[in-house]
């Protein structure tokens, strides 16, 4: 505690050591309390072995933490929804319980039958709620706005899915395919876990990604929330199938060498009291609720409830939730949604973070939430040392991606969220000739290099209703009429495809230590995402993926897909994204050129709309013979084949050895290349 490791790494944290020590002490204090009472953090996070429905010998045991309830009953199909003979008992901690012995060896509650927790409020009225720890919940799809029911899920041995494949090893750089199972069909329907496993996983594997990030897995009553207003935290969404179907998907991904991350939502919960956790709030104090009371317990922008992260039972619930998804479903890690909202009492609302460290470490910081995140990362990495845990944080809080033991919050990566905003600004507001090379490079490289980032040009956020995919921003209505490859491309489509390739590739090459792409954007998916809702007459038309477009050989979508496949494969061959070696040797505003080295590769990007540079000198560090390993202008990528791939490029020394100022662009060697307009090329050194 004399000097935290994070301060050794980043001396700018020195003025904030008191704050950092305080939050670390709070973490250690709670961890020691947990170890004293529960034995270990790992045991504490097995709350699902105590709460909800469990088996104890020849009995079903059901327990629920509901300290605000005056009385409680268990109801369901098994007792015709009459709880008079299934009253529950309360202990001193507000935990209600009941034991149901088997009858002649048959469980008292049949597998797959519906159940609910009935509790009496202080005014004597009764309300029915879905058990907080329920593992499965269903709704009648034929009834509009029907309520969900909890389902007792304990399949017989012959129906349980048994995992067959080990987890793949952790890659040097995560190349993440962000996907939503429900909208993954080309048909206007909700796709299933098994459909996704059999039809979409092969596409992801073919495009060389090594990690999948699954959205909307936790049950959410409102489909249009994209999975972010969770109602049942331990339940896999029943829209797409059963828990066993989800296990099949993950096991099949593992068999292909694909790791699977879950988009976990611990930043807030749905206000839906009938179907969700909010229903356990009966107006009691914060310490007897999952949520804070008053304004602190409500997110005004999201219309959602906010957790009391300092509460013992809330910590048990959320930490157990993480372990459940890892142990039961074999997820390889998480992407934590809404981390900025958790980190600060102001939730990031109406804040413009400038990078001043005082913005991150003050009374505005929610230390209880930070302490919970430290516990969560400690737990996940103890359970699975190779886990990948990513924070969705727009604030850029220092220490977020440093280890807990040195005083950090413990995430492995943060999302580089400023990058897509910059690209959207350029695509919407600037002419091509006004693009600033320096501004692009600054945005892509403006990060704390001691804390890894996942770069991305566009995720699901960038194509929600009210906005468009990048391909549609670039080509708009021309995508309806001018995408045939049997005729020459018009100027709009030619420009659009060229910039689509360059934007995504330079983001991958410079934007972080990992890369993310949302499902369909690899081939330039048109239009936008719009979930079924009253405003669109409950249409699924914009809530699907048009795989048929990329599968048709006569359409130009294949060119963007081919390039995406090649650029992702480049990392497996050369491991440049995971390399700490990065040097930008040229960012020329007039010529619209960006030249840089990442790993041992040399990248040349020419954003000029019309100028092609023949005999362009580019600097490099390592002397020798270079050849092209990727060219966006190649015919297979919809380009014009202006570069000869059979040319050997030999380096020449530049300046005086040991005097960088005499070098070419501060590089000791150079070679000559052709740089066609609106294209990018990558060169590798041929082994001696």
């Amino acid at each position: 505690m004399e000097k935290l490791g994070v301060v050794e790494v980043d001396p700018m944290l020195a003025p904030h050591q008191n704050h950092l020590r305080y939050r670390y002490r709070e973490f250690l204090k709670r961890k020691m309390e947990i170890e004293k009472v529960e034995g270990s953090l790992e045991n504490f996070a097995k709350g699902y072995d105590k709460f909800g429905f469990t088996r104890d010998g020849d009995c079903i045991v059901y327990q629920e933490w509901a300290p605000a309830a005056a009385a409680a009953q268990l109801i369901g199909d098994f007792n015709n929804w009459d709880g008079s003979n299934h009253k529950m008992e309360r202990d001193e901690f507000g935990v209600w319980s009941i034991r149901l012995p088997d009858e002649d060896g048959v469980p008292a509650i049949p597998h797959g039958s519906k159940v609910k927790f009935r509790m009496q409020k202080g005014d004597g009225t009764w309300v029915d709620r879905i058990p907080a720890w329920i593992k499965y919940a269903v709704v009648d799809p034929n009834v509009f706005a029907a309520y969900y029911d909890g389902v007792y899920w304990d399949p017989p041995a012959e129906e349980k899915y048994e995992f067959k494949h080990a987890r793949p090893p952790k890659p040097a750089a995560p190349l993440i395919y962000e996907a939503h199972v429900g909208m993954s069909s080309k048909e206007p329907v909700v796709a299933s876990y098994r459909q996704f496993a059999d039809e979409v996983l092969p596409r992801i594997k073919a495009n060389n990604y090594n990690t999948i990030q699954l959205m909307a897995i936790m049950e959410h009553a409102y489909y249009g929330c994209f999975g972010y207003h969770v109602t049942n935290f331990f339940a896999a969404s029943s829209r797409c199938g059963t828990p066993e179907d989800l296990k099949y998907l993950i096991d099949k991904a593992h068999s292909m060498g694909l790791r699977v991350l879950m988009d976990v939502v611990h930043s807030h919960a749905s206000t839906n009291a009938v179907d969700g956790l909010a229903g356990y709030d009966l107006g009691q104090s914060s310490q007897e609720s999952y949520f804070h009371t008053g304004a602190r317990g409500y997110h005004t922008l999201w219309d959602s409830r906010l957790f009391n992260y300092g509460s013992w039972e809330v910590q048990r619930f959320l930490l157990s939730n993480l372990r459940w998804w890892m142990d039961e479903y074999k997820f390889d890690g998480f992407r934590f949604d809404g981390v900025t909202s958790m980190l600060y009492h102001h939730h990031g609302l109406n804040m413009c973070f400038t990078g001043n460290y005082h913005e991150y470490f003050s009374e505005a910081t929610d230390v209880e939430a930070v302490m919970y995140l430290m516990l969560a990362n400690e737990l996940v990495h103890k359970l699975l040392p190779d886990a990948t845990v990513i924070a969705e944080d727009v604030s850029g809080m220092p220490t977020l991606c440093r280890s807990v033991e040195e005083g950090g919050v413990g995430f492995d990566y943060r999302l580089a969220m400023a990058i897509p905003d910059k690209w959207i600004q350029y695509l919407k507001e600037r002419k091509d000739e006004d693009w600033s090379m320096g501004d692009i490079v600054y945005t892509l490289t403006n990060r704390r290099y001691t804390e890894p980032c996942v770069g991305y040009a566009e995720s699901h956020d960038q194509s929600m209703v009210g906005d468009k995919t990048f391909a549609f921003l670039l080509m708009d209505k021309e995508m309806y009429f001018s995408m045939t490859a049997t005729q020459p491309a018009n100027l709009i489509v030619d420009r659009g495809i060229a910039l689509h390739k360059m934007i995504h590739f330079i983001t991958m090459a410079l934007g972080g230590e990992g890369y993310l792409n949302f499902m369909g954007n690899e081939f330039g998916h048109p239009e936008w995402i719009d979930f079924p809702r009253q405003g669109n007459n409950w249409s699924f038309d914009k809530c699907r993926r048009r795989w048929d477009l990329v599968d048709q050989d006569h359409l130009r979508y294949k060119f963007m897909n081919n390039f995406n496949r090649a650029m992702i494969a480049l990392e497996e061959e050369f491991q440049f994204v995971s390399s700490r070696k990065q040097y930008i040797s040229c960012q020329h505003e007039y010529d619209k050129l960006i030249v840089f080295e990442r790993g041992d590769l040399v990248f040349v990007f020419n954003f000029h709309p019309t100028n092609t540079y023949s005999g362009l000198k580019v600097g490099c560090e390592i002397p020798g013979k270079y050849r092209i390993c990727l060219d966006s202008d190649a015919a297979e990528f919809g380009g014009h084949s202006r570069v000869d791939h059979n040319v050997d490029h030999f380096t020449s020394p530049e300046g005086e050895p040991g005097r960088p100022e005499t070098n070419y662009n501060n590089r000791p060697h150079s070679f000559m290349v052709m740089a066609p307009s609106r294209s990018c090329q990558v060169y590798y050194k041929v082994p001696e």
Side-chain angles (χ1 to χ4, degrees):
M1 293 294 291
E2 285 300 313
K3 192 169 186 180
L4 293 171
V6 290
V7 182
E8 300 281 355
V9 172
D10 185 356
M12 290 179 64
L13 291 168
H16 308 283
Q17 285 188 88
N18 288 340
H19 179 101
L20 295 169
R21 286 196 192 102
Y22 171 69
R23 78 179 193 188
Y24 190 59
R25 279 197 300 267
E26 290 298 297
F27 159 75
L28 288 177
K29 177 183 174 183
R30 179 46 58 95
K31 184 185 175 187
M32 288 188 289
E33 289 171 348
I34 289 171
E35 290 171 344
K36 181 178 178 180
V37 176
E38 302 282 343
S40 68
L41 186 62
E42 298 94 304
N43 286 340
F44 184 58
K46 294 185 76 174
Y48 47 80
D49 284 345
K50 175 182 177 182
F51 290 93
F53 292 94
T54 59
R55 291 286 304 182
D56 182 16
D58 59 356
C59 287
I60 292 174
V61 180
Y62 171 56
Q63 295 199 116
E64 197 73 70
W65 181 62
Q73 302 172 354
L74 176 62
I75 59 173
D77 291 335
F78 75 100
N79 63 10
N80 293 316
W81 302 93
D82 180 1
S84 58
N85 293 323
H86 293 91
K87 297 177 180 178
M88 301 177 69
E89 296 182 355
R90 186 188 194 276
D91 69 11
E92 68 270 29
F93 302 109
V95 177
W96 296 87
S97 61
I98 187 172
R99 296 175 66 88
L100 294 87
D102 294 349
E103 300 172 7
D104 298 325
V106 178
I109 306 177
H111 161 64
S113 62
K114 297 175 182 177
V115 290
K116 279 195 173 180
F117 174 67
R118 177 169 288 171
M119 59 179 171
Q120 188 180 42
K121 299 166 66 175
D123 61 5
T125 58
W126 292 81
V127 291
D128 297 345
R129 298 292 185 248
I130 295 177
W133 298 71
I134 202 71
K135 308 304 189 297
Y136 195 47
V138 297
V139 67
D140 187 343
N142 299 312
V143 178
F144 180 75
Y147 296 134
Y148 274 72
D149 288 303
V151 173
Y152 177 68
W153 193 261
D154 186 22
E158 63 272 14
E159 295 181 20
K160 286 184 179 179
Y161 186 85
E162 297 293 336
F163 285 88
K164 305 174 184 65
H165 304 281
R167 301 177 191 267
K170 188 174 185 176
L175 305 174
I176 302 169
Y177 195 89
E178 185 186 36
H180 185 287
V181 173
M183 59 173 287
S184 65
S185 172
K186 72 176 181 181
E187 305 299 332
V189 297
V190 178
S192 72
Y193 297 123
R194 287 185 176 265
Q195 277 180 291
F196 184 92
D198 295 339
E199 298 173 14
V200 182
L201 285 184
R203 294 180 182 273
I204 300 171
K205 179 64 177 177
N207 271 42
N208 300 305
Y209 289 88
N210 57 36
T211 305
I212 304 168
Q213 180 178 298
L214 290 180
M215 306 173 62
I217 294 298
M218 306 161 84
E219 188 60 88
H220 46 292
Y222 177 48
Y223 190 44
C225 75
F226 227 140
Y228 291 119
H229 278 217
V230 174
T231 43
N232 312 111
F233 283 74
F234 288 81
S237 180
S238 59
R239 283 185 188 85
C240 301
T242 69
E244 312 313 305
D245 295 335
L246 176 57
K247 293 173 186 177
Y248 169 81
L249 185 165
I250 295 170
D251 198 30
K252 186 160 187 175
H254 286 168
S255 76
M256 296 178 171
L258 296 167
R259 286 163 61 89
V260 187
L261 310 181
M262 193 177 93
D263 200 344
V264 70
V265 185
H266 283 181
S267 48
H268 62 134
S270 171
T271 54
N272 182 336
V274 176
D275 298 321
L277 202 61
Y280 286 82
D281 190 344
L282 304 180
Q284 68 270 36
S285 70
S286 182
Q287 283 305 309
E288 293 190 337
S289 171
Y290 288 101
F291 310 105
H292 284 295
T293 57
R296 192 178 177 189
Y298 180 71
H299 198 294
T300 54
L301 184 64
W302 295 345
D303 183 28
S304 56
R305 298 303 309 273
L306 299 174
F307 287 105
N308 176 10
Y309 296 107
S311 163
W312 183 276
E313 291 303 333
V314 172
Q315 290 171 1
R316 186 203 304 274
F317 183 82
L318 294 177
L319 292 172
S320 298
N321 190 234
L322 297 174
R323 179 158 193 175
W324 170 254
W325 292 110
M326 293 178 72
D327 284 2
E328 185 72 11
Y329 291 92
K330 309 300 180 189
F331 278 99
D332 303 296
F334 301 97
R335 177 261 202 191
F336 273 71
D337 177 68
V339 169
T340 306
S341 175
M342 300 173 71
L343 295 175
Y344 310 99
H345 293 298
H346 53 62
H347 311 302
L349 300 179
N350 302 314
M351 282 292 296
C352 181
F353 291 95
T354 64
N356 187 312
Y357 278 32
H358 292 282
E359 297 169 346
Y360 307 116
F361 309 113
S362 69
E363 291 181 355
T365 308
D366 189 338
V367 174
E368 288 182 345
V370 175
M371 180 253 289
Y372 162 68
L373 290 171
M374 294 169 77
L375 289 169
N377 281 306
E378 174 94 348
L379 170 72
V380 170
H381 289 103
K382 276 192 172 184
L383 295 173
L384 183 63
D386 279 348
T388 299
V389 191
I390 302 169
E392 188 214 25
D393 169 44
V394 72
S395 76
M397 175 186 272
T399 75
L400 195 67
C401 299
R402 298 300 302 184
S403 69
V404 174
E405 64 183 14
E406 61 183 358
V409 184
F411 287 99
D412 298 300
Y413 299 88
R414 65 153 43 91
L415 290 178
M417 300 181 71
I419 295 174
D421 292 343
K422 178 60 64 176
W423 287 126
I424 288 173
Q425 178 193 5
Y426 273 44
L427 292 176
K428 289 184 175 182
E429 301 174 9
R430 295 199 184 188
K431 298 177 181 178
D432 295 11
E433 54 268 28
D434 295 332
W435 286 24
S436 166
M437 302 299 100
D439 188 32
I440 290 172
V441 168
Y442 175 80
T443 302
L444 291 172
T445 60
N446 180 28
R447 59 184 182 273
R448 213 170 284 108
Y449 281 85
T450 54
E451 300 188 45
C453 288
V454 172
Y456 64 103
E458 51 180 334
S459 68
H460 67 276
D461 282 330
Q462 280 65 52
S463 54
M464 289 297 289
V465 62
D467 220 317
K468 303 173 183 178
T469 65
F470 280 18
F472 210 58
L473 282 173
L474 286 161
M475 295 176 273
D476 206 73
K477 66 180 184 295
E478 294 298 323
M479 298 191 80
Y480 297 129
F481 311 112
S482 306
M483 292 299 283
T484 177
T486 59
Q487 299 176 359
N490 67 28
L491 294 177
I492 293 175
V493 169
D494 191 59
R495 167 187 178 268
I497 290 178
L499 288 178
H500 189 274
K501 292 179 292 187
M502 295 178 72
I503 287 170
H504 287 82
F505 188 38
I506 197 170
T507 300
M508 176 185 174
L510 272 185
E513 290 70 39
Y515 177 72
L516 179 143
N517 168 74
F518 179 66
M519 177 174 66
N521 290 340
E522 69 275 12
F523 65 83
H525 201 289
E527 302 181 320
W528 55 88
I529 300 169
D530 191 7
F531 279 81
R533 57 189 173 86
Q534 190 171 6
N536 65 15
N537 199 27
W538 306 103
S539 170
F540 282 83
D541 184 60
K542 300 293 187 293
C543 191
R544 55 178 174 147
R545 294 289 88 178
R546 294 292 305 275
W547 306 113
D548 54 310
L549 297 176
V550 71
D551 289 343
Q552 295 185 56
D553 195 55
H554 71 281
L555 296 180
R556 295 183 179 276
Y557 296 94
K558 66 180 181 181
F559 296 136
M560 289 176 279
N561 191 64
N562 289 345
F563 184 76
N564 185 270
R565 179 186 298 131
M567 79 179 201
I568 298 296
L570 202 66
E571 164 62 16
E572 184 173 348
E573 184 175 359
F574 293 102
Q575 297 198 329
F576 61 96
V577 176
S578 55
S579 174
R580 296 181 65 86
K581 177 186 173 184
Q582 176 177 295
Y583 190 86
I584 294 93
S585 60
C586 172
Q587 39 189 327
H588 198 289
E589 296 297 348
Y590 182 78
D591 292 340
K592 301 302 177 192
L593 287 169
I594 299 173
V595 180
F596 60 91
E597 293 151 81
R598 186 83 190 266
D600 291 333
L601 299 178
V602 179
F603 297 75
V604 181
F605 281 78
N606 179 4
F607 281 95
H608 201 286
T610 56
N611 287 2
T612 291
Y613 305 106
S614 179
L616 176 71
K617 182 191 285 191
V618 298
C620 65
E621 180 184 34
I622 305 172
K625 180 173 72 174
Y626 284 79
R627 300 197 80 168
I628 278 187
C629 55
L630 185 62
D631 173 18
S632 73
D633 196 50
E636 63 183 304
F637 307 137
H640 301 283
S641 301
R642 290 170 287 183
V643 180
D644 187 347
H645 293 186
N646 295 315
V647 172
D648 292 328
H649 303 265
F650 293 93
T651 61
S652 300
E654 293 287 344
E656 300 176 28
R659 296 185 60 196
E661 67 275 12
T662 67
N663 297 163
Y664 180 74
N665 288 342
N666 289 318
R667 307 318 277 157
H669 305 277
S670 69
F671 58 93
M672 310 294 279
V673 302
M674 157 83 84
S677 59
R678 282 201 188 116
S679 74
C680 54
Q681 291 75 37
V682 187
Y683 297 85
Y684 75 103
K685 182 181 176 298
V686 178
E688 296 291 343

